[in-house]
Amino acid sequence: QVQPVESGGGSVQAGGSLSLSCAASGNYYSDNCIGWFRQAPGKEREGVASIYTGGGNTDYADSVKGRFTISQDNAKKTVYLQMNGLKPEDTGMYYCAAHFPPPRSWCGDYRRSYDIWGQGTQVTVSS
């Protein structure tokens, strides 16, 4: 199985923006759940946002609502995470993940069914 490939991480100051990309070239892109997760040092991994690529339905963690936007480009089999108004607490390794299709649970249930994982991209927000 071809893993998703994340890119776009980097270091920014608080209030800045970054755009992450998840290239999902495997056969799990279409009509499936693709989510963004993050893990800060010493903390558990948490779900940030998800999208159902079959219809564009999205879900966001409360901590990022109004600041992050998840979107898709079907032609490129790529899911994006636009992050605005970044805060130091947004710092962490950001991962893209997908269900083994077809999706077996609601895309916004980040504890379940995300089985195909990328290697991650680091986001660092300084105050």
Side-chain angles (χ1 to χ4, degrees), residues 7-125:
S7 61
S11 297
V12 295
Q13 290 191 327
S17 298
L18 283 173
S19 181
L20 305 184
S21 297
C22 170
S25 60
N27 61 0
Y28 49 82
Y29 176 86
S30 300
D31 300 327
N32 197 15
C33 295
I34 296 182
W36 283 98
F37 295 74
R38 67 186 180 191
Q39 187 167 21
K43 293 188 176 181
E44 291 188 356
R45 187 175 61 202
E46 62 174 340
V48 174
S50 64
I51 190 165
Y52 174 62
T53 59
N57 308 70
T58 59
D59 179 79
Y60 297 92
D62 288 342
S63 58
V64 306
K65 281 180 181 176
R67 300 188 298 123
F68 290 12
T69 303
I70 190 170
S71 62
Q72 63 187 101
D73 184 330
N74 292 340
K76 296 182 178 180
K77 287 190 171 182
T78 299
V79 170
Y80 303 97
L81 186 67
Q82 178 64 41
M83 306 186 294
N84 299 327
L86 283 162
K87 305 175 181 179
E89 51 263 44
D90 294 318
T91 294
M93 185 69 77
Y94 281 68
Y95 299 92
C96 176
H99 288 206
F100 278 125
R104 290 162 287 149
S105 60
W106 170 49
C107 298
D109 185 350
Y110 300 101
R111 299 163 298 175
R112 299 175 60 189
S113 305
Y114 282 93
D115 299 311
I116 307 170
W117 290 84
Q119 295 297 311
T121 186
Q122 177 68 38
V123 171
T124 303
V125 185

